[in-house]
Amino acid sequence: MKIVATAALLHLCFCATAVVSVDDDDSTETALTAAPGDVALLPCYSAGNVTPTLTTWMKNGREVISGGVSSSPAGEQQRLAVLHDGSLNIRGVTPGDEGSYLCSSTLPGNNTFRARVLLQVAGGPDNISSSISPATTLSNGTLTVHRGSAVSFNCSASSYPSQQLSWSFKGATFYNESLVSSSGSWLDFRIDDIQPRDQGVYTCRANNNFTNQAVNKSTQLLVYYVPDTHPECMWTPAQDPSHVQFTCFWLGAYPAPTLHFGEDKGVQGAASGGHMNVTTVAESLSVMLNRSELSEGHTLRCTARHPVLAAREKECSLTLTLPFPEGEPLITAMDGTSVTLICTESTSIPPAITTWTKGLQQERINPGSKYAVSEEGPALKLTIFNITKDDEGVYFCHSENPLAVRELEVYLTVRTASSAYTGAIIGIFIAVLIVGSAAIIAKTVYSSRHRMCLGGGFGQMEEDRGDVLSLVESDDEQIFQDAVPRLPPITNGHQTTLVQIHRIPSVDHEDAETADTSPQQQDDTVQTEESVDLVTF
Ligand SMILES: *[C@@H]1O[C@H](CO)[C@@H](O)[C@H](O)[C@H]1NC(C)=O
Ligand SMILES: *[C@@H]1O[C@H](CO)[C@@H](O)[C@H](O)[C@H]1NC(C)=O
Ligand SMILES: *[C@@H]1O[C@H](CO)[C@@H](O)[C@H](O)[C@H]1NC(C)=O
């Protein structure tokens, strides 16, 4: 009771400014505002501590209650009561209590005192509530919606006698005081295709027109989104060559996704497997793996989870596959021209890092006026300009992925004008030999024409010709065998490298060059075996 009374007194203080004194037949008029449900105390005679003997209260010309010192104290159940000093106490004010009240008090000495009180009922705004849907509520009360969805905003409040409702927005870049407003008890609006720019704080404001009291309700709204793309899985060599760094990234999601990197067991049932298991909340995730733990057929899988995807996941994976550089192993070019060596690497997963190197020392090739390196899809092209005899030799297309290094060996033969000249001389020599033999045979046949009909002679002539031909053939065979390099034996069932696969004999070599290159190729074989050790598991 005490608390209620205090509230009512506060109300009186609030309304003190609104007191209007109208001298109308010796009475004062007071305007009073009470909220529905409040206790209103309507004063009558407030000059000094005189206690009226009887006070009558009339409302809109009709008596509502009267009481005095002698009357019994107001019953608890009565809503209206005349207090000791003649004031009218109304508990649980309702809009129906509004009106013009008149009190008349009889003071000791039979003086009459009158006072007028105007009671206005006004309340609120109360029970303000807002809802934004469809949305998900975070633990801190912030709401989240997905980009592109249609979102409804609803606000309601109650005020007496009337109110103004409005929605305002404050985003990162702009502020809108009044998106919509109305004077009803509720206010709705809708954003059909919500975008990140609509992220911010939405405030519903209810303002009581009569009391000018206002209440706000603010809600933070976050607009979540994901890109249409899938995460990307890639690798980079680590500084320490025994390790390799795998990275998974998925850019353009808000908030940052949860990325997880894991491994499936190798197809071959490799003993290793499943020892990578990392999770982070970020746009990218990197893990460092010991190269010796990787094997062909092993699958590294990165899954991305995000509130927008709900239970679905997006992922990328790498099923490790050895590199396999392919290309023409033997190239011949003329002195002074330019030549392009092509190496195609299309099987490696993750994609190999492919480079061209020169010579057995595998020197790096720096692009410049001499060399140009270009990529065309899976093909890596090396163009050598202005070829000289110095460019002759072996080139390696070096293809490396986390599993292994594979090399394609390409042998470049440079034909000089002089060697072409030597070839021409040999050609002419052979031609002369054949023509000469033919002439000799013709002459022999002609000189032996008298013996033509005798079987033995003709047979002998055929033998002669056969000797010439077989001599040439056996020479060819000799050249061929010299040029064939011997493949190194395959040991321990180890895989052979492509270097070996591509080692095909050259029948184009000049005799002199064959002699030169044979020891070199012996060296190649040693080199090849080294790379076998490097790449086999
Ligand atoms: C509520 O949580 C979200 C996500 O954790 C955060 O972005 C937002 O700023 C928080 N809001 C408030 C009002 O703290
Ligand atoms: C990588 O793994 C191999 C074999 O499991 C091990 O011998 C080597 O020490 C590891 N290297 C590092 C740097 O952990
Ligand atoms: C090719 O070599 C010749 C002689 O060595 C030189 O004069 C010329 O400038 C070279 N051309 C290019 C494109 O390098």
Side-chain angles (χ1 to χ4, degrees), residues 4-263:
V4 173
T6 312
L9 282 175
L10 281 176
H11 244 288
L12 283 174
C13 294
F14 170 72
C15 297
T17 51
V19 169
V20 232
S21 283
V22 181
D23 267 338
D24 172 21
D25 55 54
D26 261 347
S27 68
T28 58
E29 185 168 285
T30 309
L32 200 67
T33 304
D38 274 0
V39 172
L41 187 64
L42 281 59
C44 186
Y45 182 70
S46 48
N49 47 6
V50 186
T51 305
T53 48
L54 179 73
T55 303
T56 304
W57 280 94
M58 315 235 314
K59 180 192 173 193
N60 301 338
R62 285 181 55 209
E63 183 181 323
V64 284
I65 191 169
S66 70
V69 230
S70 53
S71 61
S72 59
E76 288 296 313
Q77 72 280 20
Q78 276 188 300
R79 220 167 56 80
L80 302 185
V82 175
L83 300 188
H84 202 63
D85 63 355
S87 50
L88 174 65
N89 191 62
I90 308 175
R91 284 189 290 129
V93 169
T94 67
D97 292 327
E98 266 182 353
S100 173
Y101 289 79
L102 180 68
C103 84
S104 63
S105 282
T106 308
L107 301 177
N110 249 359
N111 290 329
T112 306
F113 179 82
R114 286 160 174 247
R116 200 173 282 278
V117 179
L118 202 60
L119 178 65
Q120 173 76 50
V121 177
D126 292 317
N127 306 326
I128 187 164
S129 78
S130 68
S131 72
I132 298 178
S133 66
T136 307
T137 310
L138 301 181
S139 56
N140 64 6
T142 293
L143 299 183
T144 68
V145 295
H146 298 171
R147 176 174 65 190
S149 56
V151 180
S152 295
F153 297 75
N154 185 298
C155 180
S156 66
S158 53
S159 297
Y160 186 85
S162 68
Q163 68 185 358
Q164 190 72 23
L165 287 177
S166 63
W167 275 105
S168 64
F169 169 70
K170 189 175 189 325
T173 54
F174 85 107
Y175 177 65
N176 189 343
E177 180 70 54
S178 182
L179 294 170
V180 279
S181 70
S182 89
S183 56
S185 62
W186 54 267
L187 175 61
D188 266 3
F189 79 101
R190 202 172 127 101
I191 298 178
D192 279 330
D193 177 18
I194 202 156
Q195 291 299 316
R197 63 168 182 271
D198 299 317
Q199 171 168 311
V201 176
Y202 288 83
T203 302
C204 174
R205 180 181 178 86
N207 184 40
N208 187 315
N209 296 333
F210 188 80
T211 61
N212 252 336
Q213 280 188 306
V215 290
N216 287 336
K217 180 131 196 288
S218 294
T219 309
Q220 186 183 35
L221 184 71
L222 302 179
V223 180
Y224 282 2
Y225 51 89
V226 292
D228 293 334
T229 57
H230 281 263
E232 276 188 60
C233 291
M234 54 176 280
W235 78 283
T236 38
Q239 279 179 335
D240 165 11
S242 67
H243 281 71
V244 57
Q245 178 175 311
F246 287 94
T247 305
C248 169
F249 59 89
W250 196 39
L251 308 179
Y254 174 79
T258 303
L259 298 180
H260 173 258
F261 234 138
E263 273 175 283

Side-chain angles (χ1 to χ4, degrees), residues 372-426:
V373 178
S374 63
E375 242 176 289
E376 251 175 57
L380 185 71
K381 299 182 172 182
L382 169 66
T383 304
I384 308 169
F385 300 108
N386 217 1
I387 287 178
T388 65
K389 199 71 184 165
D390 290 343
D391 295 318
E392 186 166 271
V394 64
Y395 291 79
F396 291 98
C397 173
H398 183 100
S399 199
E400 175 176 5
N401 85 356
L403 285 181
V405 175
R406 286 281 191 270
E407 281 167 347
L408 163 71
E409 185 183 327
V410 176
Y411 195 88
L412 175 65
T413 305
V414 178
R415 278 180 185 276
T416 56
S418 61
S419 73
Y421 180 66
T422 312
I425 293 199
I426 292 168

